[in-house]
Amino acid sequence: MIVSPSLLSANFADLKSDIDMINRSEADWLHLDIMDGVFVPNISFGFPVLKAVAKICTKKLDVHLMIVDPGKFVNEVKALGAYMMNVHYEACPHLHRTIQQIHDAGMKAAVTLNPATPICVLEDIIQDVDMVLLMTVNPGFGGQKFIEHSIEKVKALKAMIERIGSKALIEVDGGVNNETAPRLAEAGVDVLVAGSYVFGSPNPEERIISLKNL
Ligand code: DX5
Ligand code: ZN
């Protein structure tokens, strides 16, 4: 399993310690949530903070943009040295062009779906993306309850990927913990994002290992 801890639940008063922990840990990626207060009803952190984080983080950066018109920021995300740029289907009227721009900038491209967006909208783009990020809570906040229907959605997405012959990975984000993660793994998930489950623990590295072993 690929594990991508979400910095949203880290201690913002001491980010350095949490990033040192991530660097030491078996995490594969670091998930970074950018919010604009428009696409989602919350604001997280922006590029000045991300630049400081990117400088000291040795893991691949998995950047999740919960903002309107994310295509405007391809160059800024690229400048961070990001590995994966996730844009929401709901925020991109010209999704194919945005995916192309992300690839042209040398990054992997992921399309993200809100819980109420059906996977059928991916039919004509799934072959062009490196990953699909399924939101398993409504985006905007950490620590929310997992939406149970997501398990069926992962299974259906897995079947679509196999039918079309796409190489896209499946990532899930929201409510991942020791109860939901094994069921998500079984349903076909490749990448687990976990915020409060990792950073809310006195032993985050152990929790990362438990997710890795799924
Ligand atoms: C929510 C963010 C998530 C968040 C997940 O909008 O996209 O990445 O950090 O938090 P948990 O794992 O606590 O549900
Ligand atoms: Zn996220």
Side-chain angles (χ1 to χ4, degrees), residues 12-193:
F12 291 164
D14 189 10
L15 273 182
K16 171 87 167 64
S17 299
D18 279 344
I19 293 175
D20 286 345
M21 180 279 290
I22 292 294
N23 288 345
R24 276 194 315 268
S25 79
E26 289 192 24
D28 301 276
W29 302 350
L30 178 65
H31 185 84
L32 299 167
D33 290 299
I34 307 175
M35 305 178 189
D36 66 355
V38 179
F39 182 69
V40 287
N42 197 8
I43 297 175
S44 54
F45 37 73
F47 288 105
V49 173
L50 290 162
K51 266 188 213 158
V53 168
K55 224 183 240 172
I56 58 169
C57 183
T58 58
K59 304 288 178 173
K60 289 178 175 166
L61 303 179
D62 175 31
V63 179
H64 177 195
L65 293 145
M66 285 162 273
I67 63 172
V68 295
D69 209 356
K72 275 204 309 214
F73 293 98
V74 170
N75 290 336
E76 283 81 353
V77 175
K78 158 88 182 155
L80 294 174
Y83 174 70
M84 182 73 74
M85 177 164 166
N86 299 272
V87 297
H88 271 257
Y89 166 83
E90 302 85 359
C92 296
H94 304 289
L95 182 60
H96 187 272
R97 178 186 293 145
T98 307
I99 296 296
Q100 241 174 358
Q101 288 169 339
I102 296 170
H103 280 150
D104 289 348
M107 293 179 284
K108 303 264 185 205
V111 58
T112 308
L113 299 187
N114 278 336
T117 305
I119 60 160
C120 60
V121 302
L122 298 172
E123 282 277 340
D124 294 312
I125 196 73
I126 194 98
Q127 266 175 317
D128 298 304
V129 296
D130 302 289
M131 189 170 82
V132 176
L133 166 51
L134 293 181
M135 289 309 302
T136 44
V137 298
N138 285 295
F141 304 91
Q144 300 181 81
K145 191 176 178 301
F146 180 78
I147 297 171
E148 201 49 47
H149 173 67
S150 310
I151 300 284
E152 290 314 308
K153 206 167 170 180
V154 169
K155 287 184 190 163
L157 176 57
K158 183 89 185 162
M160 177 195 273
I161 287 171
E162 277 166 12
R163 172 172 55 81
I164 295 181
S166 159
K167 293 204 165 54
L169 297 174
I170 303 177
E171 179 178 59
V172 288
D173 185 5
V176 170
N177 57 34
N178 59 334
E179 192 277 316
T180 55
R183 296 192 288 127
L184 287 161
E186 164 105 28
V189 162
D190 304 290
V191 189
L192 290 168
V193 174

